[in-house]
Amino acid sequence: MSARSKAASRNSTGPEPLWYKDAIFYELRVRSYYDANGDGVGDFEGLTKRLDYLQSLGVNTLWLLPFYPSPMRDDGYDISDYTEIHPDCGTLRDFKVFLREAHARGLRVVTELVLNHTSDQHEWFQRARRAAPGSVHRDYYMWSDTPDKFRDVRIIFQDFEPSNWSWDPVAKAYYFHRFFSHQPDLNYDNPAVRREIMRIVAFWLGHGVDGLRLDAVPYLYKREGTGCENLPETHAFLRELRSYIDENFPNRMLLAEANQWPEDAVAYLAEGRECQMAFHFPLMPRIFMSVRMEDRYPLTDIWAQTPDIDPSCQWALFLRNHDELTLEMVTDEERDYMYSEYAKDPRMKRNIGIGRRLATLVDNDRRVAELLHSLLFSLPGSPVLYYGDEIGMGDNIYLGDRDAVRTPMQWSPDRNAGFSRADFAQLYLPPLMDPVYGFQSVNVEAQMRNPSSLLHWMRRMLEVRRQHPVFGTGSIEVISTDNPSALAYIRVPTGAEGGTSKPRRTRRAGNGPSPEGTPAAGDAVLCVSNLSRFAQPAQLPLHRWEGMTPIELLGRTPFPPIGELPYFVTLPPYGFYWFGLV
C-alpha cells in the first residue's frame, strides 16, 4: 500500500473498531440531494453544502448510492468505471472535499461496491467479448454456447428478463446475468477478477471511505445443480476480502446486502470473520404487516427465527430505501396480503415488491410514521433512514422503474423545491407537486420553522437514541402480554463477555424528575408499542424489575414504580413509550 493510502487510512473518522454498532445511517442519492452547479442533477459540491443539515439531524453515517460513471440504465448500479466519479456528480476532487468535510463533522461515509456485475459498457466486458474464448480477458465474465446452464437459478427481475442468459453477437456466445441483461455477471473463478476487486477496495478505502455496502453479495459464484446463492466459495472470498481490509485498512466496515432468510443472512457475518453488518430484510415487511394486522406476531415471529450474532457484528434495519419494499422473503400468502393492503393500484408494484415511500405506505398518518420509526430506532441493530423520510416525502408511482422513490429532496417551497436553479425541464426527475406531498407543503424549510413538525420529532428521537447506547449494543427480551396489539420488549446492556447484565436499581443525587434519579446511558430501556388504531391496555409481567421506576425518556416523566403485580399501561392509538428503568 502506498504512503498516500496509509495516510488516508489513518485519517478515517475515529479509531473505534465497533463504531458501526452505534451508527445511525442516512441513505441518500447524490443526484437527488442538492444541485450546486445548476445543471439539474445533484452533485458532491451540493451535498457538501448540506452536511450541516445532516449533522443537525442527528445521523452519524452517510450511505451514498452509486456515483460512478455509468450508462444509467439501472440508476448507477450498472457501473462502467469503478474508480471514477460520474461527471453529473462532479469530480474526484469534489468527492475528496466532501469526504474531508464529512469527517470534520464526525460523519462517516459508506459507499457502494457492486461486486456481482458491471455494465456491458465497462471496458472489461468490451474487451472480453472480443477476446479469444478461454483467455483470461474473456473469462472476466461467464459464457456459454447454450442458455441451458444453471437451470435451477431463479430470475430476479421477472418483469423484465425471460432468462438469465443473453446472446452477444460480438462474442457469438451467451453471457450470464443475474439481474438485467445489460449487467453481465463477473466470473469470480478468474483470479484476475478477484485482484481487480481488491484493487478497487484499496482505491476507495485508501481515500478514507469508512465502509462499503456489498451489493448483491449472495450471487458471486455459480455452480451447476445449485440455485447459485450463498455458495461456500462466496463465503470463502468474503473472508479473503475481510482479511485484506483488516490488515491494510483497520476500523473499516463491510455491509452485506443479502436479501435472504435470517439463517442464511447471518452466514455473511460468519461470527465476525466476513462482513461486520448485514441487512435484516425479512424484518422490514413484517413491521408493516404487524401494524396493518394490529398484531405483534409477524414481527416477534421473525425475530424469534433470527439467530444470535457475534458481539462484533450488527444488523442494519430499515423501513424504506431506494428500492421497492421487497417481498421476496415472505410467504405467498403474506405477499398477497401486503399487495392487497399496500399496493391497491397495480402501478405501485415493482418486481416482487411495492415501489412506495414510507409516508404514502401509511396514508400520510403521522402517528403510524412515528410508531414505525420508534420500532426502527429501538429494535436491535443500526437504523437506516432514507433521505426525505424525515420530512414525510411522498412518491410518484407514474415514473418508470424505481424512480418513484428517488425524486429530488424537498428543501423549500421555492422553484424546483430548492433542489436546483436549473430550468424545470433540465431536472433529472420532476419534484413532487401534488397537493398532499408536493414541495410547496412538504419541505425542510417549513418544518425547521415548525417546532411540532415531523423533522423536529425525528431530531428529538435520534438525540434520545444517542443518549442510550443500549439501543445499538444491548440485548433484547420480548415481554409477553395477553393483548396481541401490544408489543413490549426490554433492551438490556450486554456485558463485555456477551452475557446480559442483571437488572439493577440505581439512585443518583441531584434534582431529577423523580427520587429514583434519571435514566443513564447504561440503564435498561423498556419499549411498549400499540400496533392498533384504537387505544389499548397492556399488563406486563415485570416482576424481575420490581422496585424500579420507569422514566419516560422523551419527557423525563416518572411513572409508578414496578411492583409484584403485572405492570399496567394504557396506550393511545399507535402510541408508544420508551422507559428508562432506574
Side-chain angles (χ1 to χ4, degrees), residues 291-553:
V291 170
R292 192 54 60 96
M293 294 174 65
E294 303 186 0
D295 192 318
R296 67 177 179 269
Y297 177 77
L299 197 158
T300 55
D301 177 60
I302 198 64
W303 197 262
Q305 297 179 43
T306 302
D308 292 334
I309 60 177
D310 188 83
S312 68
C313 297
Q314 182 73 307
W315 290 112
L317 309 181
F318 64 101
L319 296 172
R320 290 300 302 113
N321 62 16
H322 62 290
D323 284 331
E324 67 274 9
L325 190 162
T326 177
L327 298 176
E328 288 189 78
M329 295 300 117
V330 299
T331 65
D332 291 342
E333 182 181 3
E334 290 170 334
R335 186 177 301 113
D336 291 341
Y337 176 79
M338 289 290 287
Y339 279 144
S340 67
E341 291 296 323
Y342 288 107
K344 299 185 185 300
D345 188 324
R347 284 168 293 203
M348 298 173 182
K349 296 181 181 180
R350 295 290 190 277
N351 302 316
I352 307 177
I354 301 170
R356 309 218 72 189
R357 269 190 176 266
L358 178 66
T360 50
L361 283 168
V362 302
D363 299 321
N364 209 29
D365 190 329
R366 178 167 164 178
R367 299 172 305 169
V368 183
E370 291 183 357
L371 171 64
L372 292 175
H373 279 102
S374 77
L375 297 173
L376 175 69
F377 297 154
S378 61
L379 287 168
S382 294
V384 180
L385 280 172
Y386 186 49
Y387 83 93
D389 280 355
E390 73 270 24
I391 58 173
M393 272 180 60
D395 52 52
N396 183 351
I397 62 173
Y398 299 96
L399 296 175
D401 194 21
R402 288 164 286 185
D403 286 341
V405 300
R406 300 174 183 180
T407 54
M409 181 66 176
Q410 297 169 193
W411 293 105
S412 74
D414 300 327
R415 173 182 175 182
N416 298 333
F419 162 74
S420 173
R421 304 185 306 275
D423 291 340
F424 180 82
Q426 288 182 267
L427 301 184
Y428 81 96
L429 283 176
L432 301 181
M433 292 179 286
D434 67 83
V436 177
Y437 302 101
F439 64 84
Q440 296 90 345
S441 56
V442 178
N443 60 76
V444 171
E445 180 182 301
Q447 295 201 19
M448 288 291 285
R449 296 171 63 180
N450 178 5
S452 61
S453 67
L454 178 63
L455 176 59
H456 278 290
W457 178 89
M458 198 78 70
R459 295 171 69 181
R460 289 193 295 271
M461 291 293 290
L462 292 177
E463 175 62 27
V464 172
R465 191 187 192 279
R466 289 197 306 275
Q467 292 172 357
H468 296 273
V470 68
F471 286 124
T473 59
S475 62
I476 185 172
E477 178 180 340
V478 177
I479 305 298
S480 63
T481 173
D482 292 337
N483 187 340
S485 295
L487 170 66
Y489 47 87
I490 287 187
R491 302 300 313 279
V492 182
T494 302
E497 303 300 322
T500 302
S501 62
K502 299 293 185 183
R504 69 189 190 283
R505 179 168 177 158
T506 58
R507 292 183 179 272
R508 303 177 182 84
N511 298 318
S514 80
E516 303 298 330
T518 57
D523 286 324
V525 175
L526 168 65
C527 303
V528 188
S529 302
N530 177 14
L531 304 175
S532 171
R533 64 192 185 279
F534 304 113
Q536 297 289 334
Q539 295 190 67
L540 309 177
L542 301 179
H543 56 275
R544 287 175 52 201
W545 290 270
E546 181 182 351
M548 303 187 79
T549 299
I551 307 292
E552 199 277 321
L553 294 183

Side-chain angles (χ1 to χ4, degrees), residues 141-160:
Y141 298 87
M142 310 190 70
W143 303 91
S144 174
D145 293 332
T146 71
D148 298 327
K149 292 180 67 176
F150 308 136
R151 286 186 172 275
D152 296 327
V153 177
R154 64 189 175 98
I155 300 172
I156 293 177
F157 289 151
Q158 299 178 14
D159 294 353
F160 300 95

Side-chain angles (χ1 to χ4, degrees), residues 14 67 79 150 154 198 205 221 224 234 271 294 307 338 345 359 368 375 416 467 557 564:
F67 47 78
I79 296 173
F150 308 136
R154 64 189 175 98
M198 297 297 184
L205 296 187
Y221 281 82
E224 194 66 71
T234 294
E271 299 180 347
E294 303 186 0
M338 289 290 287
D345 188 324
V368 183
L375 297 173
N416 298 333
Q467 292 172 357
T557 305
E564 295 182 6

